[in-house]
Amino acid sequence: MASKGKVISCRAAVAYGPGQPLVVEQVQVDPPQKMEVRIKILFTSICHTDLSAWKGESEAQRAYPRILGHEASGVVESVGEGVIDMKEGDQVVAIFNGECGERIYCKSSKKTNLCGKFRVNPFKSVMESDGKCRFRNKDGIPIYHFLNTSTFTEYTVVDSACLVKIDSHASLDKMTLLSCGVSTGLGAAWNTADVQTGETVAVFGLGAVGLAVVEGARTRGASKIIGVDINPEKRIKGEAIGITDFINPKEIDVPVHEKIREMSEGGVDYSFECAGNMQVLREAFLSTHDGWGMAIVLGIHPTPKLLSLHPMELFDGRRIVASVFGDFKGKSQLPFLAEQCMAGVVKLDEFITHRLPFEKINEAFQLLLDGKSLRCLLHLS
């Protein structure tokens, strides 16, 4: 490409302060350095992690100016020195939880999907290789990075460990969802819980991640999938994807966990907390069956509040674990998930509720903030 090795000027949506509208403006994007890749982003979307960062809900998220975003797909524009697993023109998906393939974390095939260098890190706002930014605004001021990716821009530079090459025939718009939400929820059902045919599941919070859990449980043959949400409209979308039962906590006069135990012969095999609410997490834990039940934490919890859990409650045999990126190792395992989506085993259409041009990114944020969208796909091409 003619732009290889040169600084690129392009549009980006820049955050200048917590809760402020993103400013779509021209920025400068440097060429990739050693083991880095510069990609042209074709599609990006917004998830609740972006929403939390935009609000500045934790100190780690208050580095400005900053380019947010971590769900995106596109094509490789150029590669830096040492990158051999992808080339110009390859279709790729960005991932916030990278995989270098070299250190002890990545070599432990079953113990963890975290990477010693490129794991998800909300405090990280510069590139790994030199501690510098690859973005600058019109005044030459460096613009910070976000979650290893920074996708609210027409071009971005990421470490090669945070990019996954996918089939050239894959629909990039749908593949965008594999960057975070769908992989996180579906992987929690497939990998963390390893749901088996006939087992029972409860999903607390039917946003994109929760519904991805539903999709994962459905594809595994779960006999009962209970969706829990205070928004009655979520029932329709949940049933379209695969829930068998729906509970609105506002419409019952007993604690949710008691209702679930009543519906599932003592409790479900697995519960998934996707709401980022401490009380909901406790209800999810108590809704599992004693002796073997497992509660999986997926929701983002920016609050400093701690979980109200007495150690003796664990002696009933219930367990509680968290799942990052659905326990998928991004570079080595995500291509298989992409193949499953292409083959129709995993269905993605229901997750894309809105499509908007990139310049309307603030409208997309408002749709998510108002609970009106699962994923709003922003197109940059």
Side-chain angles (χ1 to χ4, degrees):
M1 295 185 179
S3 54
K4 182 178 180 180
K6 301 177 182 178
V7 174
I8 288 178
S9 179
C10 70
R11 292 181 305 160
V14 183
Y16 280 95
Q20 296 180 17
L22 302 184
V23 179
V24 179
E25 62 183 8
Q26 289 291 311
V27 301
Q28 305 295 308
V29 185
D30 290 336
Q33 301 303 304
K34 185 177 181 180
M35 296 306 295
E36 296 175 359
V37 181
R38 187 163 62 184
I39 63 173
K40 176 179 175 59
I41 292 180
L42 299 179
F43 299 96
T44 186
S45 55
I46 303 167
C47 89
H48 280 278
T49 303
D50 300 312
L51 191 61
S52 175
W54 172 70
K55 293 178 180 178
E57 289 183 335
S58 74
E59 193 66 34
Q61 298 164 339
R62 296 174 191 162
Y64 302 106
R66 198 172 198 177
I67 295 178
L68 302 175
H70 66 288
E71 286 192 345
S73 61
V75 296
V76 174
E77 179 271 338
S78 60
V79 300
E81 176 189 348
V83 178
I84 60 174
D85 62 337
M86 60 190 78
K87 63 183 185 304
E88 296 174 13
D90 283 345
Q91 291 198 154
V92 290
V93 169
I95 53 173
F96 64 91
N97 192 53
E99 182 185 357
C100 72
E102 298 175 353
R103 299 191 175 188
I104 186 171
Y105 293 90
C106 292
K107 291 181 178 180
S108 61
S109 59
K110 295 182 178 180
K111 292 182 179 180
T112 183
N113 70 328
L114 298 179
C115 175
K117 289 178 67 176
F118 301 106
R119 70 172 68 187
V120 55
N121 180 0
F123 290 94
K124 186 177 179 181
S125 58
V126 294
M127 298 302 292
E128 179 71 25
S129 63
D130 59 7
K132 297 180 180 179
C133 301
R134 300 291 179 260
F135 305 109
R136 298 184 305 281
N137 67 11
K138 64 181 184 298
D139 298 319
I141 297 173
I143 301 174
Y144 292 110
H145 296 252
F146 177 67
L147 286 186
N148 292 323
T149 47
S150 288
T151 65
F152 294 162
T153 172
E154 291 178 316
Y155 287 87
T156 190
V157 176
V158 302
D159 291 285
S160 62
C162 298
L163 274 184
V164 180
K165 179 181 175 181
I166 58 173
D167 193 297
S168 61
H169 297 100
S171 298
L172 277 180
D173 57 346
K174 297 178 184 178
M175 293 298 107
T176 302
L177 304 181
L178 304 190
S179 281
C180 179
V182 168
S183 298
T184 297
L186 187 136
W190 282 9
N191 304 323
T192 313
D194 191 18
V195 175
Q196 299 295 306
T197 300
E199 291 187 317
T200 56
V201 165
V203 183
F204 290 73
L206 297 180
V209 172
L211 290 173
V213 173
V214 172
E215 176 68 1
R218 180 195 66 80
T219 60
R220 281 295 184 89
S223 61
K224 183 180 287 292
I225 305 173
I226 304 171
V228 182
D229 204 292
I230 59 175
N231 184 348
E233 295 181 4
K234 296 292 183 69
R235 178 173 195 156
I236 299 173
K237 181 65 74 171
E239 290 176 342
I241 293 177
I243 64 170
T244 59
D245 303 88
F246 179 80
I247 297 175
N248 184 338
K250 293 183 177 180
E251 297 177 351
I252 59 176
D253 55 7
V254 296
V256 174
H257 73 269
E258 291 185 12
K259 183 66 175 178
I260 289 178
R261 289 181 185 181
E262 176 188 318
M263 297 168 63
S264 57
E265 299 181 3
V268 291
D269 297 304
Y270 305 101
S271 69
F272 300 82
E273 188 276 320
C274 311
N277 180 289
M278 204 63 69
Q279 186 55 44
V280 172
L281 175 53
R282 178 162 177 80
E283 286 296 304
F285 173 74
L286 294 174
S287 73
T288 62
H289 204 292
D290 67 333
W292 65 80
M294 177 188 290
I296 295 99
V297 184
L298 296 171
I300 300 297
H301 290 259
T303 172
K305 293 180 181 179
L306 300 180
L307 175 63
S308 175
L309 180 68
H310 195 283
M312 294 305 296
E313 291 182 284
L314 297 173
F315 283 89
D316 283 332
R318 296 185 178 91
R319 293 172 290 163
I320 183 169
V321 300
S323 178
V324 175
F325 199 50
D327 279 330
F328 277 116
K329 286 181 177 287
K331 289 182 75 73
S332 55
Q333 296 179 335
L334 214 61
F336 171 74
L337 176 55
E339 291 173 1
Q340 295 294 290
C341 295
M342 292 174 67
V345 176
V346 175
K347 300 175 182 178
L348 299 176
D349 291 329
E350 293 286 344
F351 292 89
I352 302 174
T353 54
H354 298 77
R355 293 173 183 262
L356 289 173
F358 179 61
E359 57 267 22
K360 294 188 177 182
I361 187 169
N362 287 301
E363 291 183 29
F365 264 90
Q366 194 62 47
L367 285 169
L368 187 63
L369 189 63
D370 294 341
K372 295 179 179 179
S373 72
L374 291 176
R375 283 297 183 268
C376 178
L377 205 63
L378 298 165
H379 53 86
L380 294 91
S381 58

